[in-house]
Amino acid sequence: MARDEKGQLPNRRQVLRGSVAGGVLGAGAVLGVVPGRARVAQAAPPTATTPVAAPATGHGFPKTFAWGVATAAYQVEGAAYDEGRGPSVWDVFCKRPGTVFEGHSGDVACDHYHRYKEDVALMKRLGVKSYRFSISWSRVLPQGTGAPNPKGLDFYSRLVDELHGAGIQPMCTLFHWDFPQALYKRGGWLNRDSASWFGDYAAIVADKLSDRIKLWVTHNEPQCFIGMGHRDGIHAPGDKLKDPEYLTAAHNAMRAHGRAVQALRAHAKGSAADTKIGYVLATQVTQPATDQPEDVEAARWAIFSVRDRNQWNNSWWLDPVMLGRYPEDGLKLYGKDMPAALLKGTDLGDMKQPLDFLGLNIYKAETWRQAAQGGKPEQIPVPPGYPRSAVDWQPITPGALYWGPRFFYDRYKLPVSITENGLATRDQVFLDGKVHDPQRIDYMHRALLELGRAIADGVPVTGYYAWSLLDNFEWADGYKQRFGLVYVDYQTQKRIPKDSFDWYRQVIASSGRNLLGRTALPATRVTDVGT
Ligand code: BGP
């Protein structure tokens, strides 16, 4: 596995750092929040940024809640060379030796391009209300700009029709990392024109599909495609830019987001009020070690501070887009490495376009507390043996689904949608022909209980999209990691719904009500050792 410059495992989602805090947490316990224990809003006086707690019902999923599943084009479509699709940076990256686990690529993936009807039928059986998918930019525009490829656009048109036929609302992500190779050759995100390239692409997609798509996302996780792709070099296109260039690429990606929002609003058909546009972050969530207000504020400080020169912070990627400014601590940290030109002109205003929701991809949380009185916030490390998924960066921390939505809503005041949440496991087909994945069920159960609690405490959450519908091409991990509710045999393309598929089907059918009282969460706070 690739290691970073310090010789450590790559910090995919900021794997919790540091040494063990002796005995603060039993290894089998899970960092999270215990329903029924004192809630923060009860323990602490509400502050200007803290929503006042609604009476705790333990469940808050509204009738309109978008129970969903998510995928992304390069991870599931395959058909990489079919019907006029142009190459993306991922096609090229995968062919470079040593980049992706065992040389895997998305050439075939789940063959969703040819099997989309079967996959939509699976979603219908699952009962999801919404499906989040992404469009391959280079399938629609093989050169990234210029003449569209009608066959590429038609594929998405047929997919959207199929979804509507199944009563499933599409949520379309314009960009989920597969940047057109032709535009990369023209400078990629370092080229200021990248903003208008992306805006023009958004307009073409809106012209074709906005009569049937009302939910839009511009970028998925800019931290990953810019940070991991252009700074760490462990994702496509595999560049290792120095900070000034890395910050320029990030800046242009956020300008592109602004352009795309403008283009979507200008080209969307139907009533403007029906068009809902969001931006999706790879969130780095923190949760407080206890309900005490000082720990809550330590966690809040940590979630929005820019402390290290890497992409794993939230506010560098959100403040410009939501508030029209870069965070002060980040500007101080980068100093002269932040090109002064980026702060001049109208760029920041252009990035800040009105949005309808903030998309949060939430997989885990760090735990923070205030040290001794007058001390600084500090992170509590994950103890040895702590529960983890099959990926290094994912300790099991369900409290992320409470504190993440709450902190992000407090700061940006936008409704949030959980655009991804899920667990990687090493699934297999058992002797009985089924795929049993109790860990995924337990993970999602805990996560949804916490999310329901956030809603009950007043955070507007519009939907939850499980990552993922299908096992798929997990980027540099290839097909090693399985995140799906449906198992995919990549040799035969046979789909086998896992146990979690049936479990989620029942959750959706009951609008989340059957989550109640099923299990009491085990003691999960760092202060609850020994239970
Ligand atoms: C998110 C991506 C998804 C998916 C998921 C799983 O960052 O938006 O595309 O890949 O993470 O994580 P990973 O593939 O990095 O293990």
Side-chain angles (χ1 to χ4, degrees):
M1 176 175 286
R3 285 168 190 268
D4 70 15
E5 63 276 6
K6 290 182 196 133
Q8 292 161 339
L9 287 172
N11 243 0
R12 171 61 179 82
R13 278 199 179 72
Q14 247 187 334
V15 175
L16 298 179
R17 297 170 294 214
S19 58
V20 184
V24 288
L25 184 73
V30 171
L31 291 165
V33 178
V34 183
R37 295 201 178 230
R39 296 178 193 288
V40 170
Q42 293 161 351
T47 66
T49 54
T50 306
V52 178
T57 61
H59 156 69
F61 298 103
K63 275 217 171 72
T64 54
F65 195 70
W67 297 97
V69 283
T71 65
Y74 190 69
Q75 297 182 270
V76 297
E77 282 179 5
Y81 308 99
D82 287 23
E83 300 194 319
R85 178 181 175 276
S88 78
V89 292
W90 271 96
D91 296 286
V92 176
F93 185 73
C94 291
K95 300 289 174 308
R96 215 188 288 163
T99 53
V100 175
F101 177 71
E102 293 188 347
H104 298 170
S105 79
D107 280 1
V108 179
C110 309
D111 196 30
H112 173 74
Y113 188 78
H114 298 112
R115 295 168 196 261
Y116 71 94
K117 288 190 179 174
E118 181 186 349
D119 294 336
V120 174
L122 277 168
M123 284 186 255
K124 188 174 177 185
R125 192 169 132 199
L126 184 57
V128 288
K129 312 291 178 218
S130 186
Y131 171 48
R132 176 175 177 240
F133 67 98
S134 81
I135 291 190
S136 156
W137 184 346
S138 61
R139 196 182 286 289
V140 168
L141 288 161
Q143 296 302 311
T145 58
N149 168 26
K151 288 192 171 159
L153 274 170
D154 274 357
F155 165 67
Y156 296 106
S157 188
R158 282 182 276 123
L159 170 65
V160 169
D161 284 346
E162 194 73 16
L163 289 166
H164 280 295
I168 298 168
Q169 188 183 33
M171 176 191 269
C172 173
T173 301
L174 287 172
F175 183 63
H176 199 125
W177 307 1
D178 41 359
F179 193 79
Q181 176 70 8
L183 295 182
Y184 176 65
K185 285 194 187 151
R186 292 167 65 185
W189 293 115
L190 284 171
N191 187 330
R192 269 187 76 78
D193 291 346
S194 54
S196 53
W197 298 336
F198 191 57
D200 293 348
Y201 156 62
I204 288 166
V205 174
D207 284 342
K208 176 80 178 178
L209 300 173
S210 65
D211 54 338
R212 287 156 291 153
I213 299 181
K214 303 298 170 193
L215 285 175
W216 298 93
V217 166
T218 55
H219 287 324
N220 179 72
E221 301 187 342
Q223 296 120 303
C224 297
F225 67 81
I226 297 293
M228 296 171 78
H230 295 77
R231 181 187 177 278
D232 301 342
I234 57 175
H235 274 187
D239 289 341
K240 292 188 176 182
L241 301 178
K242 298 269 179 262
D243 280 343
E245 286 188 308
Y246 152 71
L247 294 170
T248 302
H251 183 85
N252 285 334
M254 289 190 273
R255 288 178 51 239
H257 154 82
R259 280 294 182 95
V261 176
Q262 287 176 326
L264 287 173
R265 299 235 189 261
H267 289 254
K269 296 177 182 148
S271 124
D274 287 348
T275 302
K276 307 279 184 211
I277 307 176
Y279 170 81
V280 168
L281 205 72
T283 58
Q284 307 305 308
V285 172
T286 62
Q287 61 178 350
T290 74
D291 292 345
Q292 293 308 305
E294 56 270 27
D295 286 342
V296 173
E297 292 318 310
R300 192 192 300 277
W301 173 83
I303 200 171
F304 294 119
S305 63
V306 185
R307 303 182 298 278
D308 301 307
R309 284 190 181 223
N310 62 38
Q311 64 273 23
W312 301 122
N313 63 74
N314 300 300
S315 52
W316 190 263
W317 306 90
L318 279 174
D319 282 11
V321 162
M322 302 284 169
L323 310 174
R325 58 169 189 261
Y326 280 105
E328 283 302 325
D329 55 355
L331 287 173
K332 207 167 150 199
L333 180 76
Y334 285 113
K336 289 205 175 74
D337 282 342
M338 177 67 181
L342 302 185
L343 302 171
K344 296 193 178 125
T346 62
D347 284 3
L348 280 154
D350 296 343
M351 292 174 193
K352 185 192 163 207
Q353 297 298 320
L355 289 176
D356 303 291
F357 66 94
L358 172 58
L360 306 176
N361 291 354
I362 303 184
Y363 287 87
K364 53 106 180 150
E366 298 171 353
T367 303
W368 283 72
R369 71 178 164 209
Q370 189 69 29
Q373 242 180 0
K376 290 194 173 144
E378 63 182 18
Q379 186 180 344
I380 301 181
V382 172
Y386 187 83
R388 283 181 181 279
S389 79
V391 289
D392 291 336
W393 50 262
Q394 193 177 27
I396 312 299
T397 45
L401 274 290
Y402 177 81
W403 291 103
R406 183 170 163 160
F407 283 148
F408 284 106
Y409 176 64
D410 282 355
R411 184 173 177 100
Y412 299 111
K413 309 279 189 277
L414 265 189
V416 301
S417 177
I418 309 305
T419 37
E420 286 180 27
N421 172 251
L423 186 80
T425 51
R426 295 289 158 86
D427 296 314
Q428 66 189 65
V429 183
F430 283 65
L431 275 173
D432 62 3
K434 297 182 178 161
V435 180
H436 304 294
D437 57 342
Q439 285 90 344
R440 180 167 293 105
I441 293 174
D442 190 67
Y443 175 93
M444 288 176 70
H445 195 159
R446 291 170 191 264
L448 286 168
L449 283 171
E450 290 295 321
L451 187 63
R453 201 164 69 82
I455 297 169
D457 279 2
V459 182
V461 185
T462 58
Y464 170 91
Y465 293 79
W467 184 269
S468 174
L469 170 68
L470 303 169
D471 292 338
N472 62 47
F473 175 76
E474 284 296 342
W475 308 111
D477 281 336
Y479 297 97
K480 181 171 60 172
Q481 307 300 356
R482 292 180 180 270
F483 275 89
L485 299 173
V486 176
Y487 181 92
V488 177
D489 177 334
Y490 297 107
Q491 271 62 55
T492 62
Q493 290 297 342
K494 189 174 171 202
R495 275 90 163 120
I496 305 175
K498 303 178 189 175
D499 288 355
S500 57
F501 179 96
D502 275 330
W503 176 85
Y504 190 41
R505 186 177 54 70
Q506 291 169 40
V507 171
I508 297 171
S510 77
S511 299
R513 277 168 186 78
N514 71 349
L515 292 166
L516 282 176
R518 288 268 289 266
T519 46
L521 291 184
T524 60
R525 297 293 289 260
V526 287
T527 47
D528 291 333
V529 190
T531 49

